[in-house]
Amino acid sequence: MSDALKQRVLVVEDNPRNLKLVRAVLEHSGFDVVEATTGEEGVVLARQSSPDLILMDLQLPGIDGTETLRRIRSEETSTHVPVVAVTAFAMEDDRDQAYASGFSGYVQKPISVRDLPVQVRDFIQLGGTA
Ligand code: MN
């Protein structure tokens, strides 16, 4: 499949090992992967790379994932892209908080190599407005 036809996922993640894993899993499943290691960089790449989905680590150096989401949503060009929180929290309260903050959904760490591509496809189909 040519790169132009691939669905593109922007991964905002500061941990190099997690980033490497997510990239490998998604590329193996046919996605085009764009990486940002800070929220600030994520805002720029959300604008410049026209991703079909953004996976957002919540704990980042500089601005955190929630603030990064807020800035992405405030940009006209990337208002409707689904943004999915990647969270280490398993608590229902934290899941609710992710939705309350405006995330389209969430996936839990540790990342499931088997489930992630399916989750990403489902979130792209659902779109950015939950
Ligand atoms: Mn982090």
Side-chain angles (χ1 to χ4, degrees):
M1 192 185 288
S2 81
D3 278 2
L5 295 175
K6 288 184 176 181
Q7 290 182 310
R8 178 171 296 146
V9 180
L10 168 59
V11 182
V12 186
E13 167 65 75
D14 63 307
N15 181 303
R17 287 175 59 195
N18 289 345
L19 195 52
K20 193 177 173 187
L21 174 66
V22 170
R23 171 186 275 283
V25 169
L26 292 181
E27 284 184 343
H28 182 75
S29 298
F31 293 97
D32 180 31
V33 176
V34 177
E35 298 177 349
T37 55
T38 66
E40 289 87 344
E41 190 185 1
V43 174
V44 173
L45 287 177
R47 184 193 314 133
Q48 291 180 349
S49 70
S50 303
D52 297 290
L53 179 99
I54 300 174
L55 280 179
M56 181 78 66
D57 182 26
L58 291 183
Q59 297 184 337
L60 296 163
I63 61 170
D64 66 12
T66 302
E67 173 60 16
T68 304
L69 171 68
R70 196 191 62 74
R71 293 190 191 184
I72 287 170
R73 286 282 183 253
S74 73
E75 300 228 352
E76 259 175 50
T77 51
S78 48
T79 307
H80 298 296
V81 61
V83 184
V84 174
V86 179
T87 171
F89 309 136
M91 302 287 291
E92 199 151 330
D93 281 355
D94 297 308
R95 176 175 27 169
D96 290 345
Q97 201 178 330
Y99 284 117
S101 302
F103 284 97
S104 311
Y106 81 104
V107 295
Q108 280 179 26
K109 286 183 188 175
I111 291 294
S112 164
V113 169
R114 197 186 55 187
D115 294 343
L116 184 65
V118 180
Q119 292 170 317
V120 164
R121 255 182 223 111
D122 286 350
F123 281 123
I124 289 174
Q125 278 201 327
L126 285 170
T129 44

